[in-house]
Amino acid sequence: MNLFFRRLATTWTTTAPILAVIVLALAWGRTIPPLVVAIAAVFLAAAVLAAVHHAEVIAHRVGEPFGSLLLAVAVTVIEVALIISLTVSGGPAASSLARDTVFAAVMITCNGIVGLSLLMAALRRRVAVFNAEGTGAALATVATLATLSLVLPAFTTTVSGPAFAPAQLAFAAFASIALYGLFVLTQTIRHREYFLPVETTGERSGKRGGKQGGEAEHAAFPSNRAAMVSLALLLAALIAVVGLAKIEAPAIETVVRTARLPQAAVGVAIALLVLLPETLAAVRAARRARVQVSLNLAFGSAMASIGLTIPTIAAASLWLEGPLLLGLGPTHIVLLGLTVIVATLTVVPGRATLLQAGVHLTLFAAFLLLAVSP
């Protein structure tokens, strides 16, 4: 029976990206009826789930933290493509789309994914254990990038509005790339051990073991051929996700307008969509007591979202019409500041319980509420 389900999983994760690309090719550039939009949404969800599977296969092959880094960058590529495509087609109304999407990604990762991961781990083992050194470094980088790119534009006075002057935008873009590159160097080469899963010997009593490297994986180690096939299918799935999400974008915008929701809700919807692979992968890792992998995914995605999106959007602003609004409003600045404080208190001990999970999920719920009812 287990062999049957394993073959079934292999079959659908192989065919889903291929079929999703075919649907994308048939629907691209055409005016499609609501039924086809619904069918495209189904294949979009299948492509997202398949992307998670193949990213995990590659992550198992290359090991941590390279696997988490790969998935974070892949998801950010989707996000950047969607932001640019929707900004081009949205006109002046989309001038704040990059800010709304990046901020939503930060709140989803730092509160939603972190909260869910801690919840899953704490429910199964009472205490979620992770590396405070690596996670703290990731959180500090996220907080710095978010402040430089999303908070400072609300207070600068060189130009009117919550926007950077050209020189300020160039500095923010350069600083984002530099900090992200420095973090990748630290995570993968200089201090890789800080980002490896922690093997615990006494989770039930809340005691932390000292051995690193995570619990043993029971799945067979994928071969080079299997990893290359998964890489090809992952790329196909990501292409399908980007294209199908672009097809679904008008439907999302129509729903937002019909429901009379704020324009920022479009950015939230985009972030929720593109971060679904990260969320599923993080929850799966947390259920296997690999909380460090979950936190690598969460903070790595937030960091990549800012560190790669802001420079790309800054370069694109040279030919995009209209201002590039980056500065957050007072409500969102309060939420971001509270998130950084709470995440710091969560990370410092290197252990977390259901209480910390509940606090992060409450902040995430508050963000969602304020996104639809500011």
Side-chain angles (χ1 to χ4, degrees):
M1 185 64 69
N2 289 335
L3 180 61
F4 169 76
F5 284 112
R6 191 174 302 173
R7 288 179 176 175
L8 180 62
T10 303
T11 300
W12 86 260
T13 54
T14 301
T15 57
I18 298 173
L19 293 177
V21 170
I22 294 174
V23 172
L24 172 62
L26 294 176
W28 187 259
R30 295 178 173 87
T31 301
I32 55 178
L35 178 60
V36 179
V37 172
I39 294 174
V42 173
F43 280 98
L44 172 60
V48 167
L49 295 175
V52 172
H53 169 78
H54 294 297
E56 288 185 337
V57 172
I58 299 171
H60 190 191
R61 176 61 186 171
V62 301
E64 284 297 323
F66 299 101
S68 300
L69 179 64
L70 172 67
L71 185 55
V73 172
V75 169
T76 304
V77 169
I78 299 175
E79 180 182 320
V80 171
L82 286 175
I83 290 174
I84 292 179
S85 61
L86 292 178
T87 300
V88 171
S89 61
S95 58
S96 62
L97 182 61
R99 175 197 66 191
D100 297 335
T101 306
V102 170
F103 177 66
V106 172
M107 297 303 292
I108 291 168
T109 53
C110 295
N111 287 317
I113 297 179
V114 168
L116 281 175
S117 299
L118 296 181
L119 177 65
M120 291 296 103
L123 284 176
R124 293 175 66 88
R125 293 172 175 81
R126 295 180 62 85
V127 177
V129 183
F130 49 88
N131 255 317
E133 296 91 344
T135 309
L139 175 61
T141 309
V142 171
T144 302
L145 289 173
T147 302
L148 286 176
S149 301
L150 300 177
V151 176
L152 285 184
F155 297 96
T156 54
T157 57
T158 303
V159 297
S160 60
F164 273 142
Q168 296 167 340
L169 182 60
F171 172 79
F174 176 78
S176 297
I177 293 177
L179 280 178
Y180 184 68
L182 183 60
F183 175 80
V184 170
L185 175 67
T186 302
Q187 184 186 35
T188 58
I189 299 176
R190 298 281 295 183
H191 299 285
R192 183 177 174 229
E193 68 276 10
Y194 290 169
F195 301 91
L196 297 178
V198 175
E199 182 178 338
T200 57
T201 56
E203 296 98 339
R204 292 285 178 185
S205 60
K207 297 179 182 179
R208 178 176 175 177
K211 186 177 180 181
Q212 293 183 351
E215 62 183 19
E217 292 289 344
H218 298 288
F221 193 71
S223 63
N224 287 334
R225 180 178 179 275
M228 292 304 296
V229 170
S230 287
L231 178 60
L233 291 172
L234 173 62
L235 293 176
L238 293 177
I239 292 172
V241 170
V242 172
L244 293 177
K246 178 66 170 63
I247 292 174
E248 297 294 321
I252 295 175
E253 293 178 339
T254 300
V255 170
V256 169
R257 286 194 300 268
T258 303
R260 297 182 180 179
L261 297 175
Q263 184 65 25
V266 176
V268 176
I270 293 173
L272 286 171
L273 179 64
V274 300
L275 286 171
L276 182 57
E278 298 273 10
T279 304
L280 295 176
V283 170
R284 288 181 182 178
R287 288 176 60 86
R288 298 195 299 266
R290 298 170 64 83
V291 182
Q292 186 61 50
V293 175
S294 302
L295 297 182
N296 288 348
L297 285 168
F299 292 123
S301 296
M303 201 181 310
S305 180
I306 305 173
L308 299 180
T309 301
I310 296 301
T312 304
I313 296 298
S317 66
L318 297 176
W319 52 270
L320 291 176
E321 297 181 359
L324 178 60
L325 304 182
L326 290 177
L328 296 172
T331 302
H332 288 165
I333 291 176
V334 170
L335 277 178
L336 179 61
L338 184 56
T339 295
V340 172
I341 293 172
V342 168
T344 301
L345 296 176
T346 298
V347 165
V348 167
R351 297 183 300 174
T353 65
L354 281 177
L355 177 59
Q356 285 90 342
V359 171
H360 281 281
L361 291 176
T362 299
L363 280 175
F364 178 58
F367 162 70
L368 292 179
L369 174 63
L370 293 172
V372 299
S373 180

